[in-house]
Amino acid sequence: MSEHVLAEVRGGLGILTLDRPRALNSLDLGMVLALERHLLEWADAPEVRAVVVRGGERGLCAGGDVRALFRGSDADAVRFWTEEYRLNALIGRYPKPYLPLMDGITMGGGLGISAHAPRASGSVRVVTERTLVSMPETRIGFTPDVGMSLLLANAPGELGTHLCLTSGQAGGADAILLGWADAMVPSERLDELVDALAEASSALASSALAGAEGGRGAEGGQPSWAYDVVASFAVEPPPAALAGGREWIDDAYAGESAAEIAARLAELAAGGSAASEAAGAALAGLRKMCPFSVAVTLAALRRSPKLGSLEAVLAQDLALGEALIARSDFREGVRALLIDKDGAPAWEPSLIEDVDPEEVAAAFEPRPSVPA
């Protein structure tokens, strides 16, 4: 078990707390295995009616520990992703209400342990006014993984495409708009919320309703007791910042190739419209990302909704991970952003227009499926 995952049962509530503050709760292999073990144990424990996952002062989780992947072997990276994606799949089909508290920084793998929580089991994904969500993988020569290409593709219009190609950041209201969260609760009330969930779950366990619900949430995605508890703390989110740019974003990111998108952003930037400044900023950001990663990410977004299940998307993620870890871009991106911090990665190729479509297609060649 990992010293960075704290587990307790309070009333009928299982509480998992990520406790690696110096690394912003970045997930290492031990943490992934500990989370999986507790979730499997609690799934079959009649005294546990729901599970909360929370982080610390600065956020829930900043993603996978890419510094460790940088230092390790390719095989180490593939093992980590295999176990991480198994955890994501488990969360996506968890049979009891699963409530991630996405307070503060929630990026990459942090979204993988949050955004897939299924409404069918009565799960509720909670954000706060401090929430900062992002899938920043194109910045380090990788691609949005942990099944998030499916949720990015299913976001309204091309908002998900815009965010992930540019490694953009968004707030809690945006997370609700994107379909990654369900309710906003003030951060100062999260401890009260956890206490209320523990009290309600304890009462449920001792009531006649326990036999009816069996701790399995609500079938068909209907609100459960956990949803009702969260609703009593929830506030109306402010307007989502992304919504204001929907028109130009849908226009710019509708292309089937990264080069087409870059060209359309350039046209909009030069057009003198109300969207010109925003499009120009998006283009400048896109040009800083890893060109091969941008091309692979766009292809993954277009493919993922056709794959039919979260497990199939995670299998695609593993194939892409194996392909990308074998290239120079990933370690070069981590070096430039997190190790040497010079901000000057040498991408190969250096321009989106020079990416070979055949190399992009080859990255999707079938690999073994993620174990169920």
Side-chain angles (χ1 to χ4, degrees):
M1 303 298 284
S2 172
E3 63 180 318
H4 301 305
V5 176
L6 309 180
E8 66 169 305
V9 176
R10 189 187 310 168
L13 183 67
I15 303 171
L16 294 169
T17 302
L18 304 185
D19 186 33
R20 196 185 177 199
R22 294 184 64 183
L24 285 174
N25 293 334
S26 294
L27 299 172
D28 60 19
L29 182 59
M31 294 170 72
V32 167
L33 295 174
L35 288 168
E36 181 184 34
R37 179 174 172 179
H38 286 300
L39 288 175
L40 287 172
E41 177 184 335
W42 289 345
D44 293 325
E47 69 274 15
V48 176
R49 298 290 162 173
V51 175
V52 160
V53 178
R54 64 187 313 184
E57 177 63 29
R58 297 178 63 190
L60 174 62
C61 174
D65 187 349
V66 295
R67 287 184 175 88
L69 300 182
F70 174 88
R71 294 189 296 265
S73 67
D74 291 3
D76 292 336
V78 172
R79 184 192 174 199
F80 171 77
W81 290 323
T82 299
E83 299 297 341
E84 184 183 26
Y85 302 164
R86 193 200 317 267
L87 173 63
N88 302 145
L90 170 62
I91 290 168
R93 60 175 186 271
Y94 204 65
K96 298 180 179 181
Y98 177 92
L99 297 94
L101 306 185
M102 294 184 277
D103 181 39
I105 295 170
T106 307
M107 303 193 302
L111 283 165
I113 62 170
S114 304
H116 299 303
R119 282 296 302 272
S121 65
S123 298
V124 190
R125 303 162 299 176
V126 177
V127 292
T128 75
E129 79 286 351
R130 300 188 331 125
T131 297
L132 180 69
V133 294
S134 179
M135 292 300 294
E137 288 78 7
T138 57
R139 191 180 299 277
I140 58 168
F142 199 57
T143 189
D145 62 341
V146 297
M148 283 300 296
S149 62
L150 180 61
L151 298 187
L152 286 158
N154 288 336
E158 299 292 342
L159 294 181
T161 311
H162 167 60
L163 269 185
C164 69
L165 293 192
T166 61
S167 288
Q169 299 177 342
D174 292 308
I176 294 173
L177 170 67
L178 292 164
W180 304 353
D182 304 301
M184 176 173 283
V185 173
S187 58
E188 63 186 15
R189 301 200 69 192
L190 290 180
D191 287 342
E192 292 178 66
L193 171 61
V194 173
D195 289 342
L197 287 165
E199 182 178 352
S201 62
S202 180
L204 177 65
S206 61
S207 72
L209 290 176
E213 288 210 24
R216 293 280 170 166
E219 295 300 323
Q222 297 303 311
S224 72
W225 63 270
Y227 182 92
D228 293 337
V229 173
V230 173
S232 71
F233 286 85
V235 297
E236 185 71 22
L242 283 172
R246 172 75 186 275
E247 184 175 354
W248 74 263
I249 288 172
D250 286 357
D251 180 2
Y253 290 90
E256 289 303 313
S257 76
E260 288 178 31
I261 289 172
R264 183 57 183 150
L265 284 170
E267 290 177 6
L268 290 172
S273 69
S276 293
E277 183 177 352
L283 178 61
L286 186 68
R287 290 295 187 190
K288 295 177 181 178
M289 303 301 114
C290 172
F292 190 79
S293 291
V294 168
V296 164
T297 296
L298 180 63
L301 259 64
R302 300 303 190 235
R303 291 166 56 107
S304 290
K306 304 172 186 176
L307 294 179
S309 70
L310 173 60
E311 287 79 6
V313 174
L314 290 166
Q316 174 178 271
D317 288 344
L318 187 58
L320 292 175
E322 291 189 61
L324 293 173
I325 196 69
R327 295 176 60 90
S328 63
D329 285 334
F330 173 68
R331 287 189 173 85
E332 173 62 6
V334 176
R335 178 206 65 76
L337 185 67
L338 299 174
I339 306 300
D340 297 337
K341 301 182 181 180
D342 58 24
W347 303 126
E348 181 57 45
S350 61
L351 293 174
I352 289 172
E353 291 78 5
D354 293 337
V355 173
D356 184 347
E358 292 186 4
E359 288 189 37
V360 172
F364 289 87
E365 290 179 0
R367 263 73 170 184
S369 296
V370 177

